[in-house]
Amino acid sequence: MAEGRIVAERRDGDTVACDLDYRVVAGPGHASPLGLRQIAATLTYQGGALSSIAIRAAGFTLTIRRQ
């Protein structure tokens, strides 16, 4: 079982950034064999469209940007 929630929201003009927290609260972690139990993400929107996602877990960050 897992839980996800928005932990912060920032606005600057037409840019909105939402910080998310995702945690496994029961059962095994994700991404075997890593067994990740907590993942943080920031979704950034510009002009109402998703412009980037940054996912952080186990000391690594994966950033996906819209071109």
Side-chain angles (χ1 to χ4, degrees):
M1 179 189 308
E3 296 177 342
R5 65 188 178 106
I6 298 172
V7 295
E9 179 182 312
R10 296 175 304 286
R11 295 178 182 267
D12 182 14
D14 71 341
T15 301
V16 178
C18 297
D19 295 332
L20 309 174
D21 180 58
Y22 177 87
R23 295 173 187 255
V24 175
V25 295
H30 298 301
S32 181
L34 298 175
L36 300 175
R37 300 193 61 78
Q38 181 178 4
I39 299 168
T42 300
L43 281 66
T44 304
Y45 298 84
Q46 289 184 315
L50 183 63
S51 63
S52 70
I53 302 172
I55 302 167
R56 298 172 300 285
F60 295 94
T61 301
L62 169 66
T63 302
I64 302 167
R65 288 190 176 91
R66 183 179 213 160
Q67 295 291 326

Short mmCIF file of all heavy atoms in Angstrom, two decimals:
data_model
loop_
_atom_site.label_atom_id
_atom_site.label_comp_id
_atom_site.label_asym_id
_atom_site.label_seq_id
_atom_site.Cartn_x
_atom_site.Cartn_y
_atom_site.Cartn_z
N MET A 1 0.84 -1.16 0.00
CA MET A 1 0.00 0.00 0.00
C MET A 1 0.89 1.23 0.00
O MET A 1 1.93 1.27 0.64
CB MET A 1 -0.90 0.00 1.23
CG MET A 1 -1.78 1.21 1.28
SD MET A 1 -2.72 1.47 2.81
CE MET A 1 -3.52 -0.07 3.06
N ALA A 2 0.48 2.26 -0.71
CA ALA A 2 1.26 3.49 -0.82
C ALA A 2 0.36 4.70 -0.63
O ALA A 2 -0.86 4.62 -0.83
CB ALA A 2 1.95 3.55 -2.17
N GLU A 3 0.97 5.81 -0.23
CA GLU A 3 0.27 7.08 -0.07
C GLU A 3 1.00 8.16 -0.84
O GLU A 3 2.23 8.17 -0.88
CB GLU A 3 0.23 7.51 1.40
CG GLU A 3 -0.53 6.60 2.30
CD GLU A 3 -0.46 7.05 3.76
OE1 GLU A 3 0.44 7.83 4.12
OE2 GLU A 3 -1.30 6.59 4.53
N GLY A 4 0.26 9.06 -1.45
CA GLY A 4 0.86 10.20 -2.14
C GLY A 4 0.14 11.46 -1.73
O GLY A 4 -1.06 11.44 -1.46
N ARG A 5 0.88 12.55 -1.65
CA ARG A 5 0.25 13.83 -1.29
C ARG A 5 1.07 15.00 -1.80
O ARG A 5 2.28 14.88 -2.01
CB ARG A 5 0.06 13.94 0.22
CG ARG A 5 1.34 14.00 0.98
CD ARG A 5 1.08 13.92 2.51
NE ARG A 5 2.33 13.94 3.21
CZ ARG A 5 2.80 14.97 3.89
NH1 ARG A 5 2.11 16.09 3.96
NH2 ARG A 5 3.95 14.91 4.50
N ILE A 6 0.40 16.12 -2.00
CA ILE A 6 1.07 17.37 -2.36
C ILE A 6 1.55 18.00 -1.06
O ILE A 6 0.76 18.16 -0.12
CB ILE A 6 0.12 18.32 -3.11
CG1 ILE A 6 -0.34 17.68 -4.43
CG2 ILE A 6 0.79 19.66 -3.35
CD1 ILE A 6 -1.41 18.46 -5.14
N VAL A 7 2.84 18.32 -0.98
CA VAL A 7 3.38 18.89 0.25
C VAL A 7 3.67 20.39 0.14
O VAL A 7 3.82 21.06 1.15
CB VAL A 7 4.65 18.14 0.73
CG1 VAL A 7 4.30 16.71 1.12
CG2 VAL A 7 5.73 18.14 -0.34
N ALA A 8 3.76 20.91 -1.09
CA ALA A 8 4.00 22.35 -1.26
C ALA A 8 3.60 22.76 -2.67
O ALA A 8 3.60 21.96 -3.59
CB ALA A 8 5.46 22.69 -1.02
N GLU A 9 3.23 24.02 -2.79
CA GLU A 9 2.92 24.61 -4.10
C GLU A 9 3.51 26.02 -4.14
O GLU A 9 3.37 26.77 -3.18
CB GLU A 9 1.40 24.68 -4.29
CG GLU A 9 0.99 25.30 -5.60
CD GLU A 9 -0.52 25.40 -5.74
OE1 GLU A 9 -1.21 24.41 -5.48
OE2 GLU A 9 -0.98 26.49 -6.10
N ARG A 10 4.21 26.31 -5.24
CA ARG A 10 4.79 27.64 -5.41
C ARG A 10 4.30 28.24 -6.72
O ARG A 10 4.21 27.53 -7.71
CB ARG A 10 6.33 27.55 -5.41
CG ARG A 10 6.90 27.07 -4.10
CD ARG A 10 8.40 26.88 -4.16
NE ARG A 10 8.88 25.98 -5.20
CZ ARG A 10 8.77 24.65 -5.18
NH1 ARG A 10 8.14 24.05 -4.19
NH2 ARG A 10 9.26 23.91 -6.15
N ARG A 11 4.03 29.54 -6.70
CA ARG A 11 3.59 30.26 -7.91
C ARG A 11 4.50 31.44 -8.16
O ARG A 11 4.88 32.14 -7.24
CB ARG A 11 2.16 30.75 -7.75
CG ARG A 11 1.16 29.63 -7.64
CD ARG A 11 -0.26 30.17 -7.44
NE ARG A 11 -1.19 29.09 -7.31
CZ ARG A 11 -1.88 28.56 -8.31
NH1 ARG A 11 -1.72 29.04 -9.52
NH2 ARG A 11 -2.71 27.57 -8.11
N ASP A 12 4.84 31.63 -9.44
CA ASP A 12 5.63 32.78 -9.86
C ASP A 12 5.16 33.15 -11.26
O ASP A 12 5.56 32.52 -12.24
CB ASP A 12 7.13 32.44 -9.85
CG ASP A 12 8.01 33.61 -10.23
OD1 ASP A 12 7.51 34.76 -10.24
OD2 ASP A 12 9.19 33.39 -10.51
N GLY A 13 4.29 34.13 -11.34
CA GLY A 13 3.71 34.50 -12.63
C GLY A 13 2.87 33.35 -13.17
O GLY A 13 1.98 32.86 -12.51
N ASP A 14 3.19 32.89 -14.40
CA ASP A 14 2.43 31.79 -14.99
C ASP A 14 3.07 30.42 -14.72
O ASP A 14 2.67 29.41 -15.29
CB ASP A 14 2.23 32.00 -16.49
CG ASP A 14 3.50 31.81 -17.30
OD1 ASP A 14 4.60 31.87 -16.72
OD2 ASP A 14 3.40 31.59 -18.52
N THR A 15 4.07 30.38 -13.81
CA THR A 15 4.73 29.13 -13.45
C THR A 15 4.23 28.64 -12.09
O THR A 15 4.17 29.41 -11.13
CB THR A 15 6.27 29.31 -13.39
OG1 THR A 15 6.71 29.75 -14.67
CG2 THR A 15 6.96 28.02 -13.02
N VAL A 16 3.85 27.37 -12.05
CA VAL A 16 3.39 26.74 -10.81
C VAL A 16 4.22 25.47 -10.61
O VAL A 16 4.37 24.67 -11.54
CB VAL A 16 1.90 26.36 -10.88
CG1 VAL A 16 1.46 25.65 -9.60
CG2 VAL A 16 1.04 27.58 -11.13
N ALA A 17 4.77 25.29 -9.40
CA ALA A 17 5.53 24.09 -9.08
C ALA A 17 4.86 23.40 -7.90
O ALA A 17 4.53 24.04 -6.89
CB ALA A 17 6.97 24.42 -8.73
N CYS A 18 4.62 22.11 -8.03
CA CYS A 18 4.00 21.31 -6.97
C CYS A 18 4.98 20.23 -6.52
O CYS A 18 5.50 19.48 -7.35
CB CYS A 18 2.74 20.62 -7.48
SG CYS A 18 1.45 21.77 -7.99
N ASP A 19 5.24 20.18 -5.21
CA ASP A 19 6.11 19.15 -4.65
C ASP A 19 5.23 18.02 -4.14
O ASP A 19 4.26 18.25 -3.41
CB ASP A 19 6.95 19.71 -3.50
CG ASP A 19 7.93 20.76 -3.96
OD1 ASP A 19 8.36 20.70 -5.13
OD2 ASP A 19 8.28 21.63 -3.14
N LEU A 20 5.58 16.80 -4.53
CA LEU A 20 4.82 15.62 -4.16
C LEU A 20 5.66 14.69 -3.30
O LEU A 20 6.88 14.60 -3.49
CB LEU A 20 4.36 14.86 -5.41
CG LEU A 20 3.66 15.68 -6.48
CD1 LEU A 20 3.42 14.83 -7.71
CD2 LEU A 20 2.36 16.23 -5.96
N ASP A 21 5.01 13.98 -2.40
CA ASP A 21 5.67 12.97 -1.58
C ASP A 21 4.91 11.66 -1.77
O ASP A 21 3.68 11.63 -1.65
CB ASP A 21 5.63 13.39 -0.11
CG ASP A 21 6.30 12.38 0.80
OD1 ASP A 21 7.49 12.10 0.58
OD2 ASP A 21 5.63 11.87 1.71
N TYR A 22 5.63 10.60 -2.07
CA TYR A 22 5.04 9.27 -2.30
C TYR A 22 5.77 8.30 -1.39
O TYR A 22 7.00 8.23 -1.41
CB TYR A 22 5.21 8.89 -3.77
CG TYR A 22 4.70 7.52 -4.13
CD1 TYR A 22 3.36 7.34 -4.48
CD2 TYR A 22 5.54 6.42 -4.12
CE1 TYR A 22 2.89 6.08 -4.83
CE2 TYR A 22 5.08 5.17 -4.46
CZ TYR A 22 3.75 5.00 -4.81
OH TYR A 22 3.29 3.76 -5.15
N ARG A 23 5.04 7.57 -0.56
CA ARG A 23 5.65 6.63 0.38
C ARG A 23 4.91 5.29 0.36
O ARG A 23 3.69 5.25 0.32
CB ARG A 23 5.57 7.17 1.81
CG ARG A 23 6.36 8.41 2.03
CD ARG A 23 6.09 8.96 3.43
NE ARG A 23 6.73 10.24 3.58
CZ ARG A 23 7.83 10.45 4.26
NH1 ARG A 23 8.41 9.47 4.89
NH2 ARG A 23 8.35 11.65 4.34
N VAL A 24 5.70 4.24 0.43
CA VAL A 24 5.14 2.90 0.62
C VAL A 24 4.93 2.74 2.11
O VAL A 24 5.86 2.90 2.90
CB VAL A 24 6.09 1.81 0.07
CG1 VAL A 24 5.55 0.43 0.38
CG2 VAL A 24 6.31 1.99 -1.42
N VAL A 25 3.69 2.49 2.54
CA VAL A 25 3.38 2.37 3.96
C VAL A 25 3.18 0.92 4.40
O VAL A 25 3.17 0.63 5.59
CB VAL A 25 2.16 3.23 4.35
CG1 VAL A 25 2.49 4.70 4.17
CG2 VAL A 25 0.94 2.86 3.53
N ALA A 26 3.04 0.01 3.45
CA ALA A 26 2.91 -1.41 3.77
C ALA A 26 3.34 -2.22 2.55
O ALA A 26 3.12 -1.82 1.42
CB ALA A 26 1.47 -1.75 4.14
N GLY A 27 4.00 -3.33 2.80
CA GLY A 27 4.45 -4.18 1.71
C GLY A 27 5.83 -3.81 1.22
O GLY A 27 6.49 -2.93 1.78
N PRO A 28 6.26 -4.48 0.17
CA PRO A 28 7.62 -4.24 -0.33
C PRO A 28 7.74 -2.89 -1.04
O PRO A 28 6.75 -2.31 -1.47
CB PRO A 28 7.82 -5.38 -1.33
CG PRO A 28 6.44 -5.71 -1.80
CD PRO A 28 5.55 -5.49 -0.60
N GLY A 29 8.96 -2.41 -1.16
CA GLY A 29 9.22 -1.18 -1.90
C GLY A 29 9.09 -1.41 -3.39
O GLY A 29 8.80 -2.51 -3.85
N HIS A 30 9.34 -0.37 -4.17
CA HIS A 30 9.22 -0.42 -5.63
C HIS A 30 10.59 -0.51 -6.29
O HIS A 30 11.62 -0.29 -5.67
CB HIS A 30 8.49 0.81 -6.15
CG HIS A 30 7.10 0.94 -5.64
ND1 HIS A 30 6.12 -0.01 -5.83
CD2 HIS A 30 6.51 1.91 -4.90
CE1 HIS A 30 5.00 0.37 -5.26
NE2 HIS A 30 5.20 1.54 -4.68
N ALA A 31 10.60 -0.76 -7.59
CA ALA A 31 11.81 -0.81 -8.42
C ALA A 31 12.80 -1.86 -7.92
O ALA A 31 13.95 -1.57 -7.63
CB ALA A 31 12.46 0.56 -8.53
N SER A 32 12.33 -3.10 -7.83
CA SER A 32 13.18 -4.21 -7.40
C SER A 32 14.44 -4.24 -8.25
O SER A 32 14.38 -4.00 -9.45
CB SER A 32 12.40 -5.51 -7.56
OG SER A 32 13.17 -6.59 -7.14
N PRO A 33 15.60 -4.43 -7.71
CA PRO A 33 15.92 -4.84 -6.34
C PRO A 33 16.17 -3.67 -5.40
O PRO A 33 16.60 -3.88 -4.27
CB PRO A 33 17.20 -5.64 -6.52
CG PRO A 33 17.91 -4.90 -7.61
CD PRO A 33 16.80 -4.44 -8.55
N LEU A 34 15.89 -2.43 -5.81
CA LEU A 34 16.18 -1.28 -4.96
C LEU A 34 15.27 -1.19 -3.74
O LEU A 34 15.66 -0.70 -2.70
CB LEU A 34 16.09 0.02 -5.77
CG LEU A 34 17.07 0.16 -6.93
CD1 LEU A 34 16.78 1.43 -7.70
CD2 LEU A 34 18.49 0.13 -6.43
N GLY A 35 14.04 -1.62 -3.89
CA GLY A 35 13.09 -1.58 -2.78
C GLY A 35 12.80 -0.16 -2.31
O GLY A 35 12.73 0.11 -1.11
N LEU A 36 12.62 0.78 -3.24
CA LEU A 36 12.36 2.18 -2.88
C LEU A 36 11.07 2.30 -2.09
O LEU A 36 10.03 1.80 -2.49
CB LEU A 36 12.27 3.04 -4.13
CG LEU A 36 13.51 3.08 -5.02
CD1 LEU A 36 13.23 3.87 -6.28
CD2 LEU A 36 14.69 3.64 -4.26
N ARG A 37 11.14 2.99 -0.96
CA ARG A 37 9.97 3.17 -0.10
C ARG A 37 9.50 4.63 -0.06
O ARG A 37 8.41 4.91 0.42
CB ARG A 37 10.27 2.67 1.29
CG ARG A 37 10.63 1.19 1.29
CD ARG A 37 10.64 0.58 2.65
NE ARG A 37 9.37 0.63 3.33
CZ ARG A 37 8.32 -0.16 3.11
NH1 ARG A 37 8.37 -1.06 2.18
NH2 ARG A 37 7.21 -0.03 3.81
N GLN A 38 10.34 5.56 -0.55
CA GLN A 38 9.95 6.97 -0.60
C GLN A 38 10.47 7.59 -1.88
O GLN A 38 11.63 7.41 -2.26
CB GLN A 38 10.50 7.73 0.60
CG GLN A 38 10.09 9.18 0.58
CD GLN A 38 10.61 9.94 1.79
OE1 GLN A 38 11.34 9.41 2.61
NE2 GLN A 38 10.22 11.19 1.89
N ILE A 39 9.59 8.34 -2.54
CA ILE A 39 9.94 9.04 -3.78
C ILE A 39 9.38 10.46 -3.66
O ILE A 39 8.23 10.65 -3.25
CB ILE A 39 9.33 8.34 -5.01
CG1 ILE A 39 9.87 6.91 -5.14
CG2 ILE A 39 9.61 9.13 -6.28
CD1 ILE A 39 9.14 6.06 -6.14
N ALA A 40 10.20 11.45 -4.00
CA ALA A 40 9.75 12.84 -4.01
C ALA A 40 9.76 13.30 -5.47
O ALA A 40 10.59 12.87 -6.26
CB ALA A 40 10.67 13.71 -3.17
N ALA A 41 8.84 14.16 -5.80
CA ALA A 41 8.77 14.67 -7.17
C ALA A 41 8.34 16.12 -7.16
O ALA A 41 7.62 16.56 -6.26
CB ALA A 41 7.80 13.85 -8.00
N THR A 42 8.80 16.86 -8.16
CA THR A 42 8.35 18.23 -8.37
C THR A 42 7.82 18.31 -9.80
O THR A 42 8.54 18.00 -10.75
CB THR A 42 9.49 19.25 -8.17
OG1 THR A 42 9.97 19.13 -6.83
CG2 THR A 42 9.01 20.66 -8.42
N LEU A 43 6.56 18.69 -9.93
CA LEU A 43 5.95 18.91 -11.24
C LEU A 43 5.87 20.41 -11.46
O LEU A 43 5.37 21.13 -10.60
CB LEU A 43 4.55 18.31 -11.29
CG LEU A 43 4.46 16.80 -11.50
CD1 LEU A 43 5.02 16.05 -10.32
CD2 LEU A 43 3.06 16.40 -11.79
N THR A 44 6.37 20.88 -12.60
CA THR A 44 6.37 22.31 -12.91
C THR A 44 5.51 22.55 -14.14
O THR A 44 5.67 21.88 -15.16
CB THR A 44 7.81 22.82 -13.14
OG1 THR A 44 8.60 22.51 -11.99
CG2 THR A 44 7.82 24.31 -13.39
N TYR A 45 4.60 23.50 -14.00
CA TYR A 45 3.70 23.89 -15.09
C TYR A 45 4.00 25.31 -15.51
O TYR A 45 4.22 26.17 -14.66
CB TYR A 45 2.24 23.81 -14.61
CG TYR A 45 1.80 22.43 -14.20
CD1 TYR A 45 2.05 21.97 -12.91
CD2 TYR A 45 1.15 21.60 -15.10
CE1 TYR A 45 1.65 20.70 -12.53
CE2 TYR A 45 0.74 20.34 -14.72
CZ TYR A 45 0.99 19.90 -13.43
OH TYR A 45 0.60 18.65 -13.06
N GLN A 46 4.01 25.57 -16.81
CA GLN A 46 4.16 26.93 -17.34
C GLN A 46 3.02 27.18 -18.30
O GLN A 46 2.81 26.39 -19.24
CB GLN A 46 5.50 27.10 -18.03
CG GLN A 46 6.66 27.11 -17.06
CD GLN A 46 7.98 27.37 -17.75
OE1 GLN A 46 8.26 26.80 -18.79
NE2 GLN A 46 8.77 28.23 -17.15
N GLY A 47 2.29 28.25 -18.06
CA GLY A 47 1.15 28.58 -18.91
C GLY A 47 0.09 27.49 -18.93
O GLY A 47 -0.57 27.30 -19.93
N GLY A 48 -0.05 26.75 -17.84
CA GLY A 48 -1.06 25.71 -17.73
C GLY A 48 -0.64 24.36 -18.29
O GLY A 48 -1.39 23.40 -18.19
N ALA A 49 0.55 24.25 -18.87
CA ALA A 49 1.02 22.98 -19.44
C ALA A 49 2.20 22.44 -18.62
O ALA A 49 3.05 23.21 -18.16
CB ALA A 49 1.46 23.17 -20.89
N LEU A 50 2.24 21.14 -18.44
CA LEU A 50 3.34 20.51 -17.72
C LEU A 50 4.64 20.75 -18.49
O LEU A 50 4.75 20.41 -19.66
CB LEU A 50 3.08 19.01 -17.58
CG LEU A 50 4.10 18.21 -16.78
CD1 LEU A 50 4.16 18.68 -15.33
CD2 LEU A 50 3.75 16.73 -16.83
N SER A 51 5.64 21.35 -17.83
CA SER A 51 6.90 21.64 -18.51
C SER A 51 8.05 20.76 -18.03
O SER A 51 8.99 20.53 -18.77
CB SER A 51 7.28 23.12 -18.35
OG SER A 51 7.49 23.44 -16.99
N SER A 52 8.00 20.27 -16.78
CA SER A 52 9.05 19.36 -16.32
C SER A 52 8.59 18.56 -15.11
O SER A 52 7.69 18.98 -14.38
CB SER A 52 10.34 20.13 -15.97
OG SER A 52 10.16 20.89 -14.80
N ILE A 53 9.24 17.42 -14.94
CA ILE A 53 9.04 16.56 -13.79
C ILE A 53 10.43 16.19 -13.27
O ILE A 53 11.27 15.74 -14.04
CB ILE A 53 8.30 15.26 -14.16
CG1 ILE A 53 6.94 15.57 -14.78
CG2 ILE A 53 8.15 14.35 -12.94
CD1 ILE A 53 6.25 14.34 -15.35
N ALA A 54 10.66 16.39 -11.99
CA ALA A 54 11.90 15.97 -11.35
C ALA A 54 11.54 14.94 -10.29
O ALA A 54 10.76 15.23 -9.38
CB ALA A 54 12.63 17.14 -10.72
N ILE A 55 12.08 13.73 -10.43
CA ILE A 55 11.79 12.64 -9.50
C ILE A 55 13.07 12.33 -8.73
O ILE A 55 14.12 12.11 -9.33
CB ILE A 55 11.30 11.39 -10.26
CG1 ILE A 55 10.06 11.74 -11.07
CG2 ILE A 55 11.04 10.24 -9.30
CD1 ILE A 55 9.68 10.68 -12.07
N ARG A 56 12.96 12.31 -7.39
CA ARG A 56 14.11 12.06 -6.53
C ARG A 56 13.88 10.82 -5.67
O ARG A 56 12.84 10.70 -5.03
CB ARG A 56 14.38 13.27 -5.64
CG ARG A 56 14.72 14.52 -6.43
CD ARG A 56 14.78 15.76 -5.58
NE ARG A 56 13.54 16.09 -4.88
CZ ARG A 56 12.45 16.61 -5.45
NH1 ARG A 56 12.43 16.83 -6.74
NH2 ARG A 56 11.39 16.90 -4.73
N ALA A 57 14.89 9.93 -5.66
CA ALA A 57 14.83 8.73 -4.82
C ALA A 57 16.23 8.16 -4.68
O ALA A 57 17.01 8.18 -5.64
CB ALA A 57 13.90 7.67 -5.43
N ALA A 58 16.54 7.65 -3.50
CA ALA A 58 17.80 6.95 -3.23
C ALA A 58 19.03 7.76 -3.64
O ALA A 58 20.00 7.22 -4.13
CB ALA A 58 17.80 5.59 -3.92
N GLY A 59 18.97 9.09 -3.47
CA GLY A 59 20.12 9.93 -3.78
C GLY A 59 20.27 10.30 -5.25
O GLY A 59 21.24 10.96 -5.64
N PHE A 60 19.32 9.93 -6.09
CA PHE A 60 19.36 10.24 -7.51
C PHE A 60 18.19 11.12 -7.87
O PHE A 60 17.14 11.08 -7.25
CB PHE A 60 19.29 8.95 -8.36
CG PHE A 60 20.46 8.06 -8.18
CD1 PHE A 60 20.43 7.02 -7.27
CD2 PHE A 60 21.61 8.26 -8.93
CE1 PHE A 60 21.52 6.18 -7.11
CE2 PHE A 60 22.71 7.43 -8.79
CZ PHE A 60 22.66 6.39 -7.87
N THR A 61 18.37 11.92 -8.94
CA THR A 61 17.29 12.74 -9.48
C THR A 61 17.19 12.50 -10.97
O THR A 61 18.18 12.55 -11.67
CB THR A 61 17.54 14.24 -9.22
OG1 THR A 61 17.65 14.47 -7.83
CG2 THR A 61 16.40 15.09 -9.77
N LEU A 62 15.97 12.23 -11.42
CA LEU A 62 15.68 12.10 -12.85
C LEU A 62 14.79 13.28 -13.23
O LEU A 62 13.72 13.46 -12.63
CB LEU A 62 14.94 10.79 -13.14
CG LEU A 62 14.34 10.64 -14.56
CD1 LEU A 62 15.47 10.57 -15.57
CD2 LEU A 62 13.44 9.44 -14.62
N THR A 63 15.24 14.10 -14.18
CA THR A 63 14.47 15.25 -14.62
C THR A 63 14.06 15.07 -16.07
O THR A 63 14.91 14.78 -16.92
CB THR A 63 15.28 16.56 -14.46
OG1 THR A 63 15.66 16.69 -13.08
CG2 THR A 63 14.44 17.77 -14.87
N ILE A 64 12.78 15.24 -16.33
CA ILE A 64 12.23 15.15 -17.68
C ILE A 64 11.68 16.53 -18.03
O ILE A 64 10.84 17.06 -17.31
CB ILE A 64 11.11 14.09 -17.76
CG1 ILE A 64 11.66 12.73 -17.31
CG2 ILE A 64 10.54 14.02 -19.17
CD1 ILE A 64 10.58 11.71 -17.05
N ARG A 65 12.19 17.11 -19.13
CA ARG A 65 11.76 18.45 -19.54
C ARG A 65 11.07 18.39 -20.89
O ARG A 65 11.54 17.71 -21.81
CB ARG A 65 12.97 19.38 -19.64
CG ARG A 65 13.53 19.75 -18.30
CD ARG A 65 14.56 20.86 -18.45
NE ARG A 65 15.04 21.27 -17.15
CZ ARG A 65 16.10 20.74 -16.54
NH1 ARG A 65 16.79 19.79 -17.12
NH2 ARG A 65 16.45 21.17 -15.35
N ARG A 66 10.02 19.16 -21.01
CA ARG A 66 9.31 19.27 -22.28
C ARG A 66 10.09 20.19 -23.20
O ARG A 66 10.54 21.26 -22.81
CB ARG A 66 7.92 19.83 -22.03
CG ARG A 66 7.10 19.92 -23.26
CD ARG A 66 5.73 20.45 -22.90
NE ARG A 66 4.79 19.84 -23.80
CZ ARG A 66 3.52 19.74 -23.59
NH1 ARG A 66 3.00 20.19 -22.48
NH2 ARG A 66 2.75 19.17 -24.45
N GLN A 67 10.29 19.78 -24.43
CA GLN A 67 11.03 20.58 -25.41
C GLN A 67 10.07 21.31 -26.31
O GLN A 67 9.06 20.87 -26.68
CB GLN A 67 11.92 19.69 -26.28
CG GLN A 67 13.00 19.02 -25.48
CD GLN A 67 14.05 19.99 -24.97
OE1 GLN A 67 14.39 20.95 -25.64
NE2 GLN A 67 14.57 19.74 -23.80
#
